[in-house]
Amino acid sequence: MSSRTWPQIGGRTTGEDLIRALEESRAGVLITGASGSGKSYLTGLLTKEIRDDAYIVVLRASAGLTTSPYGALNVLLRDMDPQFLSHPALVLSGLTALLTARAEGKPVYLVIENAGDVDEFAGAVISQLARNGTAGLILTCSDPQRLGSELSRLCTDGYLARIELEPLPLPEAISWLEASLGGRISASAAHEFWTASGGNPHYLKMLAGELVESGALAVRDGVWVLTATDRPHGPAITDLVVTRLGKLGPGERMAMEIVSLAGTVPLEALLAIALPDDVDALEKRGILVVDDSLPRTVGMQNQLLCDVIRANIPTGRSSDLRRRFCEAVEPALMHPALRVALAAWALECGSPLTEAEALHAAGLANARADYPLALRLVRSVPGHSHSAAAVAEESTALAALGAVSEARSVLRLYREQAGGGTDIQDTGPPASADALRFHLAEAAVLQSDRETMDQAAERLRHVRKVLDGDLMPGDVAPTGLPQGMNGGPDAEKALREELVLAEARVAGHLGRHAEAAALLEDALQDFETHGPEFRFMAGSLLCEAWALTGRQAEAADMAGQLLADGRDPMVSAAAAWQAAGRLRFALLLAGCWEDSASMLQPHWDSPLPAGQPFPASFDLAMAVLRCLQGRAHEGLESLVPLIGQLRVRDDEGLLGVATAAAAYASALQGEPERAASYLARKSPGPARPGRPMEWITAYFTILAADGVDRPQAASDALMRLADDDHAAGNHGLEVLALGSAVRLGRTAAAPRLLETALRCDGDFAGLCAAYANAVLAHDVAQQVAVAQLAQDLQHDRFAFDVAEAVIRGAHALEDRALLLQARRIAETCRHRMRAPEDTSQHEDRITARELEIATLAARGHSNKAIAARLHLSVRTVEGHLYQIYGKLKIVERSELPFALGLAEGNQQ
């Protein structure tokens, strides 16, 4: 990797930009940015550009020279008479004469790296050299706050132009990595690199190099993918970070250590231990990030620094810092994320955790989708396999990580050891929160398999009866649940929230999305009483249920409300990504494609739990959207790297969806063999049951296999898909299947499409209703209007299909303006989709000679003039025009200008 050529970063400051800034400034430039952001690289570009026309002196300041007067100027002062060193004025006079003599009339530039380490004596002299015009300055500095007073005043007085190098945004980081690696990189790998490095180019380069050398970043199916999910850094990066940490003051280092070990912490708690000046300095240098939401919190900008600090801090110091921090933080500021982080910190430094603390933190970790940490916390408890609460958290985490068999074994072992100890009779003392939590965990494991989904639903119904106090004497739960419960209101609230989410997921898995919607609507009536994480997770499930049952407009409105919560620092990165992926798919299935495409990515700056791969659902939703729009090329650009990564690890069970979508995109591009290859390698289906993913997989499989060459077979399969959703009340999915079937030629289904669309709301439902009406009325004008509406809504494939149907019936169409509009729509959508033309259309393409004649005719030349110009007979010209009119499906000469424009576009 070290031999790779790393290209100039696109969109960044270039050598030309620096030369321009240097020419326009009064005395030079100051280049600032974090270590590794490219300051030295840009300085090298600049000096290379000006070296032939200028006298350049390179000076390097360092922390070791700050105690020596004029230390940064040693390179120049050693050539001067020692008597000049007795006074700053003499130093200035001597250096002015020396530089003027050596420059021989050329402009002088002093290049000073690490200008923050220039001592005050040297700073005063350098400042005066710049002010009196003796030398221009090219300075670099990681932290402008560390510049000496004289150099700082050069900036404030307008002598220096400041160029600040910001961290790379994710898209630029991906482009830069791909340009050097020479191939596509998966979203999971890109996110891991970008989050770990904080967008720092130097760290990105080192990370990529170390992972390629270790084999953790490898090529699979032509795509660079991560083959391991451990934190990506090795010894070279560790040495670099440790060296740079050694330059910090003790107060700054302590603040960094606390935030690295505790995660996002309340600013008030940090300031109880660290000095405000140290925290301010770290914030100004871009190391710490202060969130201004209330209460104010502090986090690290760069995850890589966190990981290195956590791995290298001595255990004793870590334990002491944790004790001091826990004493400083007020109980009211102990939000769930902080409790989880403090528990993880305790595991790392060996501080004791009580069983109650460990299990409470494990429950919070599971709720925040940090399942690996939940397992570590549970398994730190001695004898955890004998505790119902511990077994509940352990089996929940295992099931969420896909280790369903192991989760079943854990539950079975506990029951055998307890001798049925959790089987409580219908009468007796109230159930404990631990017992109910155990039964919720059993339900979570049962819902991992469609064969046991009904058992999971039954288990949840009995938990509901216990919490509501509705268990009757004759009721017998599968595990003998009792009436009532103990554990206090907080325990009951947490259980109710977990129960609602579990009930909604089971109902969704069984296809009963109307039931799921009712449950979630009731739970979210008191929206503000719930924490942001529950609101986000429950709200995303509600959006999904509304979208699938035809309440598309409400789904879109709810999504907008939830997205603000997605940026809440109290929402974990894993939970935010899960919910955001579900929201994007919900908007997609609701037909709100513009809203789905414009969704912001959640928590780009937050790390996922160690050992968990980057969730693919958010990016997959965008790729699926492009395929639904008919933009196969764009869909495949995203799907190919996604599939490469999913073949390595697919915790979400999305490989089947991705390969089916890729097969459909390949079919649209006229590549049946590639489509068949994707279908042949398609996994049998989602690892976890769920109607949306199952439906999308089935939909794309139908269209990929038969949609191009066997439309009748495809429409039959789509009608069966619609029948299943009609029976389940999933009218949002039903209308999608019906709309595609009618566009494939199943016009007899138009009445049902109209009826179903009228049961739904939102723009897409309105589009389908208008289309059904147009088909039933056999009204071409209405069909063209529908095609235009679909194009306006970015439903390119829908618009293209309807417009093409109008064009195919052009022989019976008297209104040529409608035909022209249909052609315009079809060609606009074809361009956006980059769709190949039918072979029948290929046969009708005009020849080069016909194009030449048509062009002249379109410009107003008469047949006689064209004949004379091209040395043809008039009859030959007339014959060519007859052929041209037929191929372009026009009847009048006046239609040539527009039709010819389309033909020329197709010729290219």
Side-chain angles (χ1 to χ4, degrees):
M1 191 72 187
S2 59
S3 62
R4 290 185 183 275
T5 299
W6 287 84
Q8 168 71 35
I9 303 171
R12 301 278 281 180
T13 302
T14 64
E16 291 78 8
D17 296 327
L18 287 171
I19 291 173
R20 191 179 308 111
L22 194 62
E23 291 173 346
E24 295 174 355
S25 69
R26 296 171 65 184
V29 295
L30 169 65
I31 306 171
T32 65
S35 297
S37 60
K39 299 185 300 296
S40 297
Y41 173 75
L42 286 176
T43 301
L45 286 181
L46 179 56
T47 55
K48 183 178 179 180
E49 289 289 336
I50 66 174
R51 64 187 177 188
D52 292 337
D53 301 314
Y55 176 66
I56 299 173
V57 180
V58 178
L59 306 173
R60 284 184 172 83
S62 67
L65 293 175
T66 55
T67 57
S68 302
Y70 310 110
L73 296 172
N74 279 345
V75 173
L76 294 171
L77 295 180
R78 65 189 178 192
D79 296 330
M80 292 174 53
D81 192 314
Q83 65 176 343
F84 282 98
L85 301 181
S86 61
H87 193 279
L90 294 176
V91 173
L92 175 61
S93 174
L95 283 179
T96 300
L98 178 67
L99 292 171
T100 301
R102 289 184 175 180
E104 298 179 345
K106 293 181 179 180
V108 176
Y109 286 100
L110 301 181
V111 179
I112 307 174
E113 296 195 44
N114 304 318
D117 289 329
V118 172
D119 66 274
E120 285 294 341
F121 288 98
V125 172
I126 292 168
S127 173
Q128 288 304 311
L129 288 171
R131 289 177 184 272
N132 66 24
T134 299
L137 304 181
I138 301 173
L139 311 181
T140 71
C141 182
S142 297
D143 180 11
Q145 300 299 316
R146 295 183 59 197
L147 284 174
S149 57
E150 292 295 331
L151 293 181
S152 291
R153 274 196 286 273
L154 283 177
C155 295
T156 56
D157 293 347
Y159 280 87
L160 297 181
R162 180 172 170 181
I163 297 173
E164 186 166 1
L165 301 181
E166 299 287 348
L168 287 178
L170 181 72
E172 290 184 20
I174 292 175
S175 298
W176 193 50
L177 286 168
E178 290 182 341
S180 178
L181 293 170
R184 302 292 304 280
I185 187 170
S186 73
S188 181
H191 179 270
E192 191 74 56
F193 286 174
W194 191 85
T195 304
S197 68
N200 184 297
H202 188 54
Y203 289 145
L204 274 172
K205 186 191 302 185
M206 294 186 71
L207 285 172
E210 290 190 346
L211 288 182
V212 169
E213 289 176 8
S214 69
L217 181 67
V219 177
R220 297 287 187 273
D221 296 328
V223 176
W224 289 94
V225 300
L226 283 174
T227 60
T229 53
D230 296 331
R231 289 282 189 239
H233 67 270
I237 291 177
T238 298
D239 291 344
L240 175 65
V241 172
V242 169
T243 299
R244 289 176 174 171
L245 290 177
K247 298 179 180 180
L248 297 176
E252 293 175 330
R253 181 161 187 152
M254 181 185 70
M256 281 184 63
E257 289 171 338
I258 290 172
V259 178
S260 297
L261 292 161
T264 301
V265 302
L267 178 60
E268 180 181 331
L270 182 61
L271 292 179
I273 303 174
L275 294 175
D277 287 347
D278 291 329
V279 175
D280 287 345
L282 292 172
E283 182 188 7
K284 289 173 181 176
R285 295 170 67 180
I287 296 174
L288 295 184
V289 179
V290 178
D291 190 288
D292 289 329
S293 58
L294 296 176
R296 299 182 72 189
T297 56
V298 185
M300 289 284 288
Q301 172 71 34
N302 190 314
Q303 182 60 33
L304 191 59
L305 292 178
C306 283
D307 293 341
V308 172
I309 290 172
R310 293 173 75 99
N312 289 277
I313 187 171
T315 301
R317 177 168 174 78
S318 178
S319 180
D320 180 60
L321 287 174
R322 183 180 183 276
R323 176 187 57 77
R324 293 173 60 189
F325 181 77
C326 289
E327 291 173 353
V329 65
E330 294 291 334
L333 298 175
M334 290 283 284
H335 53 76
L338 183 56
R339 290 185 184 280
V340 172
L342 289 175
W345 189 354
L347 293 181
E348 291 175 6
C349 70
S351 294
L353 280 177
T354 66
E355 178 178 344
E357 289 173 336
L359 295 182
H360 179 59
L364 292 174
N366 271 331
R368 295 175 58 78
D370 191 346
Y371 307 116
L373 177 57
L375 285 178
R376 289 175 55 211
L377 287 164
V378 167
R379 291 171 178 175
S380 72
V381 175
H384 69 274
S385 61
H386 299 283
S387 163
V391 169
E393 301 303 343
E394 184 179 23
S395 58
T396 297
L398 288 169
L401 290 171
V404 179
S405 296
E406 187 177 354
R408 289 197 183 100
S409 298
V410 168
L411 291 168
R412 183 172 59 253
L413 178 62
Y414 174 80
R415 285 196 171 282
E416 291 172 356
Q417 292 174 341
T422 57
D423 292 349
I424 310 169
Q425 300 303 314
D426 294 341
T427 59
S432 69
D434 290 349
L436 292 181
R437 183 74 188 80
F438 180 88
H439 298 305
L440 286 173
E442 284 189 314
V445 175
L446 289 170
Q447 67 180 278
S448 298
D449 187 338
R450 181 167 292 284
E451 298 299 320
T452 56
M453 195 67 67
D454 288 328
Q455 296 177 45
E458 183 65 22
R459 194 65 49 90
L460 294 174
R461 276 194 290 272
H462 281 276
V463 174
R464 167 70 63 188
K465 287 184 176 182
V466 172
L467 287 173
D468 292 345
D470 293 337
L471 197 64
M472 303 301 292
D475 289 337
V476 179
T479 55
L481 289 172
Q483 300 182 57
M485 69 164 289
N486 58 33
D490 289 341
E492 181 173 353
K493 179 184 177 184
L495 283 167
R496 286 188 179 278
E497 289 183 346
E498 186 177 350
L499 175 61
V500 166
L501 294 176
E503 288 174 325
R505 290 190 180 106
V506 168
H509 292 333
L510 293 172
R512 301 197 292 259
H513 293 285
E515 178 184 326
L519 284 165
L520 294 163
E521 287 176 54
D522 183 64
L524 289 171
Q525 281 184 347
D526 299 323
F527 193 80
E528 296 300 330
T529 63
H530 300 285
E533 200 146 272
F534 176 80
R535 294 200 303 264
F536 200 38
M537 297 297 287
S540 67
L541 286 167
L542 180 57
C543 279
E544 179 181 80
W546 278 345
L548 301 182
T549 54
R551 298 166 66 178
Q552 288 94 334
E554 291 174 277
D557 289 343
M558 171 64 85
Q561 184 179 359
L562 290 172
L563 289 176
D565 267 356
R567 307 301 297 181
D568 192 311
M570 296 301 103
V571 179
S572 69
W577 278 109
Q578 282 185 10
R582 188 181 299 113
L583 273 178
R584 200 172 213 181
F585 268 110
L587 288 170
L588 181 155
L589 294 172
C592 304
W593 290 0
E594 187 175 350
D595 292 331
S596 180
S598 63
M599 265 189 70
L600 295 176
Q601 297 152 326
H603 280 297
W604 271 125
D605 53 349
S606 298
L608 290 164
Q612 279 189 242
F614 168 67
S617 57
F618 189 84
D619 286 314
L620 178 59
M622 189 64 182
V624 167
L625 169 59
R626 294 309 184 208
C627 293
L628 288 174
Q629 288 177 307
R631 301 179 186 179
H633 60 289
E634 293 182 34
L636 283 171
E637 282 180 3
S638 299
L639 286 168
V640 169
L642 273 171
I643 290 170
Q645 187 68 63
L646 290 172
R647 291 198 190 282
V648 175
R649 182 169 176 177
D650 182 23
D651 288 3
E652 299 170 276
L654 298 175
L655 182 58
V657 182
T659 50
Y664 172 60
S666 299
L668 286 180
Q669 289 193 319
E671 301 179 62
E673 292 182 0
R674 187 182 187 189
S677 174
Y678 275 121
L679 289 177
R681 299 181 68 189
K682 180 171 69 69
S683 65
R688 295 184 178 84
R691 184 59 181 166
M693 297 305 157
E694 290 175 349
W695 188 93
I696 294 170
T697 303
Y699 177 82
F700 281 138
T701 300
I702 291 167
L703 294 178
D706 300 319
V708 176
D709 299 323
R710 301 174 59 211
Q712 181 63 47
S715 64
D716 289 344
L718 287 168
M719 292 303 295
R720 290 192 293 273
L721 198 61
D723 291 341
D724 292 341
D725 285 302
H726 180 80
N730 300 329
H731 302 303
L733 295 179
E734 183 186 3
V735 78
L736 281 166
L738 289 172
S740 296
V742 173
R743 292 190 341 254
L744 284 172
R746 192 66 166 260
T747 55
R752 179 176 168 188
L753 174 61
L754 176 60
E755 179 185 356
T756 306
L758 292 176
R759 289 181 177 177
C760 305
D761 57 25
D763 291 338
F764 183 72
L767 173 65
C768 289
Y771 177 50
N773 275 321
V775 171
L776 291 171
H778 302 287
D779 189 319
V780 175
Q782 287 186 38
Q783 292 177 36
V784 173
V786 166
Q788 185 62 61
L789 176 59
Q791 179 186 322
D792 294 342
L793 292 173
Q794 303 294 309
H795 292 249
D796 296 336
R797 189 71 207 181
F798 198 123
F800 179 79
D801 289 343
V802 177
E804 280 288 291
V806 172
I807 294 169
R808 285 195 298 270
H811 62 279
L813 185 60
E814 296 180 359
D815 190 336
R816 311 311 294 177
L818 285 176
L819 179 59
L820 287 174
Q821 186 180 358
R823 284 196 183 118
R824 186 181 297 112
I825 292 169
E827 290 305 319
T828 298
C829 293
R830 188 194 302 280
H831 176 73
R832 292 204 298 220
M833 297 188 300
R834 300 182 195 172
E837 292 186 285
D838 294 339
T839 54
S840 60
Q841 292 179 343
H842 181 76
E843 293 169 0
D844 286 344
R845 283 189 175 188
I846 62 177
T847 66
R849 172 63 83 180
E850 288 170 343
L851 181 58
E852 189 176 18
I853 292 171
T855 300
L856 292 171
R859 291 173 178 170
H861 294 274
S862 67
N863 291 355
K864 185 176 180 180
I866 295 171
R869 181 165 180 167
L870 300 180
H871 307 290
L872 301 172
S873 69
V874 174
R875 184 176 294 277
T876 299
V877 171
E878 290 173 347
H880 278 304
L881 286 172
Y882 177 80
Q883 293 293 328
I884 291 167
Y885 288 0
K887 290 182 178 182
L888 297 182
K889 296 183 175 66
I890 62 176
V891 294
E892 297 177 2
R893 199 180 190 98
S894 61
E895 297 178 67
L896 269 174
F898 173 73
L900 183 61
L902 301 182
E904 287 173 336
N906 293 338
Q907 289 283 91
Q908 294 175 359

